[in-house]
Amino acid sequence: MLLTRPGIRLFLAGQTLSLFGDGVALIALGVWAKVLTGSSSVAALVMFTYMAPTVLLPLGGVLADRVRRRPLLIGTNLAVALASAALLLVDGPGELGILYAVAAAYGAASAVLSPAQSALLRSMLVEEAEFGAAAGLSQSVRSGTTLLSPVAGATVYGWIGGHGVAVVAMACLLTAALAFATLPDRERPARRERTGWAAELTAGLHHVRGSAEIRPLLVAMVTMTAVIGMTSPMLLALIEHGLHRPPTLLGALESVLALGGLAGAVGGSVAIARFRPQRLVAAGALVFALGTALQAVAVFPAVVAGLVLAGAAGPLAVIGLATVAQAATPEHLMGRTQAAVNLCLTVPQAAALGAGSGLVALLSFRQVIALMVLGALVTAVALFRRRPAPVPNSEERGRPS
């Protein structure tokens, strides 16, 4: 079993602590900005500052493939912990710029940490049968921290304030760096490629586009991510016009989504051992369609049940895609491939969030739900009808000639 390996346990501990420190700090930075200025737009701008460095993902992928991943993870977590120390200087609205700077540092670090973690995990796997289990464990960690870290961040801020949050985040990041430092150093030296920077930056995208195994699943995930991105605007309209509750209910319903995500990650970890990854992605799309359709009933128990299903759908599909990406990508290209996948999924989700905000002003929440369900069903049907491509079983597949 994969978890019996000490190295895997240390890796997951490092990943968990790093993600948890990130999540705790992020929610607290937004709350802190709101408290200092009284402005919701300022708080939202802090969140945007965190998201903006997503454009650096290709560069983070190159870095993850050019240098040794273990020292990169150690150094990045230490650097963000040091940046977090600047929060101890914040004492009023005059230091608002520090919040922006720290949010940007966390965002830039995430553009490095995600591809580096995926690449290091890939280098630790021995057999292809382990790819699915590794993807499931990693997604379970992400879903668990997504559920717990915002609550922890808001609680710590309310209890001991922003300075306390800074200390907690620093402790998490420093311990994460220690976990990665304790990993057995069996990583191969980074492979040097005789190509220009432009070719290195786009290598992951070219690999994904040319892979008969990854490409159809990524296209399906892009469509699914786009419809998932409409969830928050749709929920606001559903709360107002369907449930007739105050908009503050959104926070509780988002927590239900996160709880469903954790259930989906755990279920996907079991299912990936029995089903082809393509079927798991298709099942995720189908579950999302069912869960979203259930919310159209606009009765609170049905909405909650639908959100649990819709929340579970994303991790199910991600585990299927991640399994294929790990198996169909040579180790030296894993960082850039993961960066390309992340970028392809993040941009449509952000665009769908904006589009969904516009649609709820023009259409009823049930009409928006119908569009979301239709998109998910088209994705599911296309994948169920498609014959799965064989996943390569050789490290040499996908190497540039």
Side-chain angles (χ1 to χ4, degrees):
M1 186 179 178
L2 203 57
L3 271 177
T4 59
R5 285 199 220 155
I8 296 293
R9 293 199 298 268
L10 282 169
F11 172 85
L12 291 174
Q15 182 187 35
T16 302
L17 288 162
S18 183
L19 289 170
F20 192 79
D22 182 292
V24 165
L26 178 60
I27 191 68
L29 287 174
V31 174
W32 203 350
K34 170 72 173 177
V35 171
L36 289 176
T37 65
S39 171
S40 296
S41 60
V42 170
L45 188 57
V46 170
M47 301 297 185
F48 174 78
T49 305
Y50 172 83
M51 293 298 298
T54 298
V55 298
L56 299 176
L57 269 168
L59 189 59
V62 170
L63 197 58
D65 286 338
R66 265 200 166 194
V67 304
R68 294 171 68 86
R69 286 83 180 244
R70 179 171 160 271
L72 179 60
L73 289 170
I74 296 168
T76 303
N77 279 287
L78 289 176
V80 182
L82 181 61
S84 301
L87 295 174
L88 300 175
L89 302 176
V90 177
D91 196 34
E95 289 82 38
L96 189 63
I98 295 178
L99 298 187
Y100 288 129
V102 173
Y106 272 91
S110 70
V112 175
L113 290 172
S114 178
Q117 286 171 356
S118 294
L120 180 61
L121 180 60
R122 172 68 173 81
S123 70
M124 297 171 67
L125 302 178
V126 178
E127 300 176 359
E128 290 187 16
E130 298 174 340
F131 295 156
L137 287 171
S138 182
Q139 188 59 37
S140 297
V141 164
R142 291 183 180 278
S143 297
T145 54
T146 299
L147 175 64
L148 297 177
S149 59
V151 177
T155 302
V156 171
Y157 182 87
W159 181 31
I160 52 179
H163 294 163
V165 170
V167 172
V168 170
M170 289 169 62
C172 289
L173 294 166
L174 290 172
T175 312
L178 179 62
F180 288 125
T182 313
L183 276 173
D185 190 7
R186 301 193 184 100
E187 191 179 353
R188 300 175 188 174
R191 173 174 169 173
R192 298 293 179 183
E193 298 178 17
R194 297 178 180 178
T195 57
W197 267 98
E200 286 202 57
L201 282 170
T202 58
L205 190 58
H206 284 308
H207 173 66
V208 168
R209 188 175 63 182
S211 170
E213 303 85 20
I214 303 173
R215 187 180 63 251
L217 299 193
L218 182 57
V219 169
M221 278 299 302
V222 167
T223 304
M224 189 172 167
T225 301
V227 295
I228 289 174
M230 298 183 189
T231 299
S232 291
M234 180 275 291
L235 281 177
L236 281 171
L238 170 60
I239 289 168
E240 180 182 0
H241 302 293
L243 297 177
H244 307 290
R245 303 285 183 89
T248 50
L249 182 62
L250 179 63
L253 295 185
E254 294 277 9
S255 297
V256 174
L257 267 174
L259 185 61
L262 180 57
V266 174
S269 301
V270 176
I272 193 62
R274 302 186 178 187
F275 301 101
R276 286 180 177 269
Q278 181 172 310
R279 295 290 183 254
L280 203 58
V281 178
L286 196 58
V287 169
F288 181 82
L290 176 62
T292 304
L294 194 56
Q295 294 167 62
V297 178
V299 176
F300 193 74
V303 170
V304 170
L307 285 172
V308 170
L309 288 174
L316 278 175
V318 167
I319 289 171
L321 174 61
T323 300
V324 169
Q326 291 275 4
T329 304
E331 186 180 324
H332 75 278
L333 197 56
M334 193 64 232
R336 284 165 289 177
T337 299
Q338 185 63 49
V341 168
N342 286 357
L343 192 62
C344 287
L345 297 182
T346 302
V347 172
Q349 187 169 21
L353 180 61
S357 300
L359 283 174
V360 295
L362 300 173
L363 306 173
S364 71
F365 71 87
R366 286 192 174 91
Q367 288 173 320
V368 175
I369 284 175
L371 290 175
M372 296 168 67
V373 170
L374 179 62
L377 285 177
V378 168
T379 301
V381 170
L383 285 177
F384 277 124
R385 293 184 63 183
R386 180 184 177 87
R387 178 176 296 178
V391 178
N393 57 10
S394 170
E395 174 69 15
E396 296 303 317
R397 285 285 304 273
R399 289 187 185 273
S401 56

